[in-house]
Amino acid sequence: MRLLLVEDDELLGNGLQVGLRQNGYAVDWVKDGRSAELFLAAGTYDLMILDLGLPARSGLEVLRTQRRGGSALPVLILTARDTVEDKVSGLDSGADEYLVKPFDLDELAARIRALLRRRSGRGEPVIRHRDLVLDPASHAVMRAGRPVDLSPREFAVLRQLLENRGRVLSRARLEQGLYSWADEIDSNAVEVHIHHLRRKLWPELIRTIRGVGYVIDKES
Amino acid sequence: MNPSLRNRLLFTLLPVTLALWAIVGAIIYAAAQGEVDELIDAQLTQSARLLLNLMEHELAEEEMAPGDMSDDDIAEQFAEFSHKYEQRLAFQMWILGENRIWLRSDSAPRYRMSERSAGFEDRAIEGSPWRVYVLTDAAGRLQVQVGESAERREILRNHIAWRVLVPILLSIPLIAVMIWYGVARAMSPLRNIAADVKNRRPDNLRPIPDLDVPVEAKPLIDALNALFRRLQQAFETERRFTSDAAHELRTPLAALKTQAQVALRATADEERRRALRQVVAGVDRATHLAQQLLTLARIDPTVWVGHDNVDLGDLASEVLAEIAPLALARGTDLGLEAGAVAPVRGDRAMLGILLRNLVDNAIKYAPAGGWVEVNVERRGSAIVLGVSDNGPGIPPEEHARVFERFYRRIGAGGSGSGLGLSIVRRIADLHHAEIRLSAGEPAGLRVEVIFGDPARTVTGQP
């Protein structure tokens, strides 16, 4: 899962980036509205965390431009503006969530999970596939009631594939969910993670579509 | 006890009105008295003429048929004229040749009331004052004397006096009531305003409507409204400041909390240490912000704190000495060039804060290993304090905005409070100094604080 964080405050941006990474997300962090638009145009994101009081271009302007352009990207506004009018105008401009600073990192993570769950059209917080249960909140994976030990990146790959069951995800798409722009990407990292997942779960879980990518089939 | 308008009006208007009426009364009385005198004199004259005619007529008849005439006939004729004031009217009919009274009224004495042969005379008869009119016939044979007791005039005069006085006396309570009522009516708009102001919530500073306010009270209302406007502005500024401040504190607090939570959750030692270092940096930053907020709040434009003679050169070397460690740490070359200039009148502590903020900013924006130059010079009659750096500068279109509270420029990194230049501007304003931003040479920013003629002292409330 790859998030775009738009926050002009150095310390808060840094904390959020690290904190969200701890939660298993790849986070790109930009500090002004114009850069946010450049990043949105260039990359694929699963969610955007948007501050409103930004230099260059305000958060609301960025949001409205995105929505006008037809983007359905889940957007969580994270701001110091706490009046009802601010919240209403934020949500009416196309935001899906509105969180006022200072906030709790756990709550932010929960709201991000909820947004991502809603986007995938799922009601249940956990993802079930056959006898496999993946809990995005606790980062736990159970198979037939027994915990399966996965690394954070393996978990992230499995989660992406499960969230997009029936759809083939390219290696690049999976990589994007693992690394932010600042990270160095190891060329065959995704293959390694897939290999580990097949070994720890079962080989047929993830199918390779040669030259295209990987897929977990929908349950028939 | 405050003076009462009503009482004041009552106590000035009432005596004045009364005095005026008394004068008018006196004039009317005097005039009436003149009229009365004339009227009574005319009456006396007329009576005398009538009596003389009668006498001539009777005497002529008597000559034709002497002894026929009785006194009663004349008395009867005279009765009509005298009935009312009988006691006070008297007449004598003299036959001069014989020096005898032909006829007299009971009230008349037997001797001549007047020794004159014609006209009026005031004299005492039997101890009381009388006015006597004497009329003698053309032949000088017959004479009529008609007298009237002055008492009668007195009664008439008193009568008139009362007629004049009674309405005046009756009008006193009426005037008092009218003044009382009039003042109450005139004051009612003020009372309404007072009730309106009294029932206001403390934050209601709308102007008082002055539609029904009497012209006399308008200056007061205008002054009050002007005060309300100033208060409103002050409150507005205060409210905006508080709201801005609270707002600005949220982000550093959010950062602190996030970093602390990251540290709590970190699994690796290095990760935890890094997060904790960020927490410390965040606390430093919040402290700086609080400090700047306090500074800004203390620079109250309505209270002037001091007017020292401040040598800007001295002050600059002091401030630079304080800041030098920071500049050293960043490898910034700090320089001061101070000419001998007249001292500036103002608050030394505040000017120190102004200079510190400017130099702090300059050091922050100058590249590592860059330079910051402070200079104090005379330009015409003005004294200029300049701070230059070789940082990125500020584009002219942003020059006005950087003085706004909490305005942060892109790339400023959000580490400042966004208040430094607001503080600088506020202090400069208090000293009636002008701030000019310009591009540095060859790059960077130059900030000039221009103090006007040092001879012209800083105005402000002592």
Side-chain angles (χ1 to χ4, degrees), chain B residues 225 274 336 388:
Chain B
N225 281 344
R274 205 182 311 128
L336 169 64
S388 312

Side-chain angles (χ1 to χ4, degrees), chain B residues 44-56 59 74 78 81 90-96 102-104 112-114 116-119 132-137 141-147:
Chain B
L44 282 179
T45 319
Q46 204 185 355
S47 304
R49 203 159 285 142
L50 184 75
L51 287 175
L52 191 63
N53 279 345
L54 266 172
M55 194 179 174
E56 282 170 342
L59 282 175
I74 292 171
F78 190 69
F81 160 67
F91 67 87
Q92 294 172 326
M93 295 169 163
W94 290 86
I95 298 170
L96 292 177
W102 180 65
L103 193 69
R104 71 172 176 89
R112 278 171 191 267
M113 290 194 286
S114 171
R116 291 182 168 213
S117 59
V132 181
Y133 180 66
V134 182
L135 186 64
T136 309
D137 74 341
R141 203 168 58 91
L142 306 176
Q143 187 180 61
V144 173
Q145 294 202 353
V146 187

Side-chain angles (χ1 to χ4, degrees), chain B residues 211-232:
Chain B
L211 285 176
D212 338 316
V213 171
V215 178
E216 292 79 5
K218 200 149 180 321
L220 176 67
I221 302 301
D222 288 349
L224 264 180
N225 281 344
L227 175 66
F228 279 170
R229 250 193 319 278
R230 282 202 305 278
L231 269 177
Q232 176 87 54

